[in-house]
Each structure stands twice: as C-alpha cells, then as structure tokens.
Amino acid sequence: MLSDLLQNNRRWSEGRRRDDPDYFGRLAALQRPEYLWIGCSDSRVPANVITGLEPGEVFVHRNIANLVHRGDLNLLSVLEFAVDILEVRHVIVCGHHGCGGVRAAMEPHRHGVIDHWLQPIRDIADNAEAELRHLATGEARNDRLCELSVRSQVTNLARTPILRDAWARGADLRLHGWVYGLSDGLLHDLHCDVDSLLAADARRPVA
Ligand code: CO
C-alpha cells in the first residue's frame, strides 16, 4: 500500500529524532559525502543499504546498467557537482551480476529506446567475444560482461575533462569498479582503480 510508505517515513523520522534531536538539523545544514556512487537502477541494489551508509554519506547517480555515456548531461552534472563542489574522495561504479540491462543488450529482439542506451554493452561484448565464447552458460557470459562493462565505465569516467582537471589540480580522488552479487549480497572489487592522470592515460576505451 502506498500509504504505508508515508507511515513508514513518519515512524523513521520520529525514531531518528528520538535518538538524536539535532539529526535533521545537522543534515539540513550540510552534506559532505566522501563517495559518489554510480550504480544500476535495479531496485535490488540500493547504494546506502548494501554499503551500510547513512543519509549524507553517499552522493548517488543510478541508471539502467550503470553506464557512463560521454554525452550524458545528467551523469556529467552529477559528476561535476560531486567532484568540484562536494569534493568526494572516491567515485564507485557498481554493476551487479544478473543485470537485466546487460541481458537485454545481448538479446536479439528490439526492446525500444533502451536498445540505444545499451549499445556500449554490445560493443564491449564484441570486443571480448573470444573470452566470452569460452564461458559455459549464458548467465556466466552476462555476469562476466557486467564486470567488463564496469571496467569500461571506469575508463570512460577517467577520460572525462571533469576528472582530468581534478587530477591536474592535485585532487585526491580515486575511481573504483565494483560488482555486486544478487545471490549473496556481497560486493567485489574488480581492481581497476584509477587515481591519477598517469593512470587515466594508461587506460584505453573499449568502445
Ligand atoms: Co542492472
């Protein structure tokens, strides 16, 4: 029931104020998150819940299949605000196994506008065709493709003028690629960090 949501909210707000009367006063005055999260819109991968972070601790951008399109004004605006104004220290691209967006990208039939959105995933799959071919099941191929896509999105981020300018002025800022397992609720580091112009220059875009 929709009314449950409003009721839940009142209960939550009251509980917070009971524990800490100044809780909302402090939050309203300032947000200083250390993290920017770029994740999938999938309802099963809520950034705050799976990382145990509180309101005010993570700035969040989500879209279908956690993609970093170079001309996406929505994502670029979020990135610029997070990097230049909030001065986050970490940008995390988080994909997840069993991603419906990745699966849809590899299906032969049309879905709609989403087929345009998901084109980078098909490009990554074409590039990694030799590796993906050896995996036994469609599920394993899609899960590996999720991971390859996260790495590719980290590279796309590293090549944005926003991040290059931040590193050029000496900002302490690190990009990370993670993948989340729907079946066990665990996050895994894909070890594709980028933390400098030098590291960014070493990365080549996949697609
Ligand atoms: Co997804």
Side-chain angles (χ1 to χ4, degrees):
M1 290 275 284
L2 193 64
S3 60
D4 290 346
L5 275 62
L6 297 172
Q7 213 171 9
N8 290 346
N9 166 257
R10 274 192 292 275
R11 212 175 302 124
W12 172 76
S13 169
E14 283 161 15
R16 284 289 164 122
R17 273 178 291 190
R18 205 178 311 117
D19 295 343
D20 179 357
D22 193 34
Y23 180 74
F24 290 108
R26 275 200 318 277
L27 267 185
L30 183 72
Q31 68 160 338
R32 262 267 166 260
E34 290 214 359
Y35 313 99
L36 167 62
W37 176 277
I38 298 173
C40 185
S41 297
D42 193 303
S43 64
R44 297 164 295 181
V45 197
N48 287 70
V49 176
I50 64 176
T51 56
L53 291 173
E54 292 291 326
E57 292 184 332
V58 58
F59 202 60
V60 174
H61 177 85
R62 290 166 69 179
N63 63 47
I64 292 177
N66 42 271
L67 293 177
V68 178
H69 282 262
R70 286 167 215 169
D72 180 354
L73 283 179
N74 183 350
L75 183 140
L76 292 172
S77 303
V78 168
L79 182 67
E80 183 180 70
F81 188 73
V83 170
D84 293 353
I85 308 298
L86 297 175
E87 299 180 322
V88 297
R89 304 279 302 277
H90 303 274
V91 180
I92 300 155
V93 178
C94 185
H96 65 102
H97 290 156
C99 183
V102 171
R103 190 164 53 240
M106 302 314 292
E107 287 169 349
H109 59 273
R110 293 270 175 264
H111 305 82
V113 173
I114 193 70
D115 296 317
H116 295 272
W117 179 256
L118 296 173
Q119 181 60 41
I121 295 178
R122 285 188 290 277
D123 294 339
I124 295 162
D126 286 346
N127 243 285
E129 204 260 333
E131 177 189 348
L132 294 171
R133 194 173 354 118
H134 292 296
L135 297 170
T137 64
E139 193 186 341
R141 277 192 292 278
N142 282 348
D143 285 352
R144 180 62 185 144
L145 187 50
C146 286
E147 297 172 8
L148 293 172
S149 174
V150 167
R151 299 179 76 94
S152 175
Q153 308 319 312
V154 170
T155 300
N156 289 347
L157 275 181
R159 296 172 71 87
T160 59
I162 295 167
L163 285 167
R164 295 186 65 84
D165 289 353
W167 282 317
R169 65 175 180 260
D172 181 10
L173 186 58
R174 183 177 276 262
L175 314 184
H176 310 264
W178 291 356
V179 69
Y180 176 77
L182 287 179
S183 55
D184 60 9
L186 293 175
L187 286 164
H188 300 277
D189 189 345
L190 296 175
H191 301 292
C192 55
D193 290 14
V194 182
D195 64 352
S196 65
L197 273 181
L198 204 65
D201 286 342
R203 300 285 290 260
R204 286 284 162 267
V206 173

